[in-house]
């Protein structure tokens, strides 16, 4: 028992695999997932760079001040940070308590917050369309829709992933494989929150400043 | 004896759990503080206009560092060395590509303005 406790200290956080046999494999898959995240970071970074070159290309159409609803952005920021935090609580429940419902409860909170985030984002998009701030209106708007939309699609994909993980937990319980998958999902989820920090600061706040 | 050991291990695990929860909570508090400061710098007049953008950049970088350290668990330990190296290499690549894009396209924009 104490042996596993000491070896577990060297593992990726959020994991309690119970024996060291599978630990190395889990490390490798987490590293592989980290590779994917970094390639995703390159994608986001390039779209950010394009946005930076396009930020003044409004072509007489709606500019940053017209398309930004700061109250909505603040609420979205709070919801996504809350979701990220709830997910870390789900990971800790999974690591320290083998109670399925506790983990599932925090996952549900994380998913509900993220759903709220997406609803507000879609509401903002709806308003932009109504005001004629559509992607084809100007270079600025194309870049804005591409960047915010890309992030939104990632969040929507994360929600599907969460639903799939909920189903897997209900069917298989908190097995080592499921724990490893949830650890990777956690990395993805916190990474999306990190990208959002860039979006709300550099796109929305810097846009209206 | 066995039961005593199990119990000790349980308290050690409890302490570990407590430490981890505290760590995440610190991350949350720091993120909220930095986010509120970002929004305040734009929504209020405390900061002179010229300082707003640099402040936003610094606050965003600060929050990104908090996220990387606390939520993504990247540190300077040997075990995280590979993750850290990949992150740094990605930032290098991104720096070259993003800076290059902004430079080239920005220069092109300037040259196309000359006719006007």
């Amino acid at each position: 028992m104490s042996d596993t406790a000491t070896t577990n200290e060297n593992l990726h956080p959020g994991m309690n695999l119970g024996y060291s046999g599978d630990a190395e494999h889990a490390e490798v898959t987490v590293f592989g997932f980290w590779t994917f995240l970094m390639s995703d970071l390159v994608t986001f970074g390039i779209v950010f760079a394009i946005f930076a070159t396009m930020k003044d290309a409004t072509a007489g159409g709606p500019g940053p001040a017209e398309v930004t609803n700061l109250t909505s952005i603040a609420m979205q920021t709070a919801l996504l940070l809350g979701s990220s935090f709830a997910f870390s609580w789900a990971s800790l429940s999974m690591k320290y308590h083998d109670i399925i419902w506790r983990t599932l409860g925090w996952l549900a909170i994380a998913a509900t917050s993220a759903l709220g985030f997406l609803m507000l984002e879609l509401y903002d998009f709806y308003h932009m369309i109504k005001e004629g701030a559509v992607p084809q209106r100007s270079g600025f708007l194309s870049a804005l829709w591409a960047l915010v939309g890309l992030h939104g699609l990632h969040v929507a994909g994360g929600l599907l992933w969460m639903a799939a993980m909920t189903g897997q937990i209900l069917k298989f319980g908190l097995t080592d494989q499921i724990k490893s998958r949830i650890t990777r999902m956690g990395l993805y989820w916190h990474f999306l929150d990190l990208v959002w920090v860039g979006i709300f600061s550099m796109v929305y706040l810097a846009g209206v400043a | 004896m066995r039961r005593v050991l199990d119990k000790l291990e349980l308290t050690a695990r409890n302490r570990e759990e407590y430490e981890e929860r505290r760590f995440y909570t610190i991350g949350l508090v720091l993120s909220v503080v930095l986010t509120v400061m970002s929004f305040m710098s734009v929504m209020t007049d405390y900061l002179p206009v010229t300082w707003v953008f640099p402040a936003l950049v610094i606050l965003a970088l600060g929050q990104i560092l908090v996220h990387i350290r606390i939520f993504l668990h990247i540190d300077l330990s040997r075990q995280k060395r590979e993750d850290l190296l990949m992150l740094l290499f990605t930032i290098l690549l991104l720096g070259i590509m993003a800076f290059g894009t902004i430079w080239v396209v920005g220069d092109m924009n300037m040259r196309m303005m000359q006719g006007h």
Side-chain angles (χ1 to χ4, degrees), chain A residues 18-99:
Chain A
Y19 57 93
S20 55
D22 214 25
E24 206 164 315
H25 177 67
E27 287 270 294
V28 170
T29 50
V30 168
F31 183 67
F33 193 72
W34 187 249
T35 314
F36 157 72
L37 281 185
M38 290 301 104
S39 67
D40 219 22
L41 181 62
V42 170
T43 311
F44 273 114
I46 293 297
V47 181
F48 260 108
I50 291 167
F51 179 81
T53 63
M54 287 291 165
K55 71 178 167 42
D56 299 319
T58 49
E66 283 82 42
V67 299
T68 306
N69 175 354
L70 271 190
T71 317
S72 171
I73 297 302
M75 282 162 71
Q76 289 173 45
T77 305
L79 282 169
L80 204 60
L81 184 63
S83 177
S84 198
F85 190 68
F87 200 101
S88 61
W89 245 227
S91 307
L92 288 180
S93 301
M94 173 186 92
K95 183 176 175 185
Y96 292 105
H97 309 275
D98 244 348
I99 308 163

Side-chain angles (χ1 to χ4, degrees), chain B residues 60-72:
Chain B
L61 284 179
Q63 193 170 346
I64 284 170
L65 284 179
V66 168
H67 279 239
I68 288 175
R69 175 67 195 93
I70 293 183
F71 295 135
L72 292 173

Side-chain angles (χ1 to χ4, degrees), chain A residues 180-192:
Chain A
S180 159
R181 284 176 189 163
I182 290 179
T183 304
R184 275 171 273 158
M185 156 110 232
L187 283 178
Y188 178 80
W189 209 236
H190 296 312
F191 169 76
L192 284 187

Side-chain angles (χ1 to χ4, degrees), chain A residues 1 10-13 16 27 31 34-35 38 42 85 88-89 92 95-97 187 190 193 201 206 209, chain B residues 9 13 16-17 20-21 24-25 35 42-43 52 56 60 67 71-73 79 83 86-87 90 94 97:
Chain A
M1 272 310 266
N10 297 326
L11 299 180
H12 270 274
N16 175 23
E27 287 270 294
F31 183 67
W34 187 249
T35 314
M38 290 301 104
V42 170
F85 190 68
S88 61
W89 245 227
L92 288 180
K95 183 176 175 185
Y96 292 105
H97 309 275
L187 283 178
H190 296 312
D193 201 20
S201 309
Chain B
E9 194 187 305
R13 274 181 76 71
E16 198 188 322
E17 181 183 0
E20 256 194 275
R21 285 187 190 271
Y24 276 113
T25 309
T35 302
V42 172
M43 294 169 104
V52 170
L56 283 176
H67 279 239
F71 295 135
L72 292 173
H73 298 282
Q79 190 221 346
D83 290 1
M86 188 143 64
L87 178 65
T90 309
L94 207 49
M97 291 192 286

Side-chain angles (χ1 to χ4, degrees), chain B residues 42-59:
Chain B
V42 172
M43 294 169 104
T44 64
D45 298 328
Y46 289 130
L47 267 187
V49 181
T50 45
W51 290 10
V52 170
F53 187 70
L56 283 176
V57 172
I58 291 167
L59 289 167

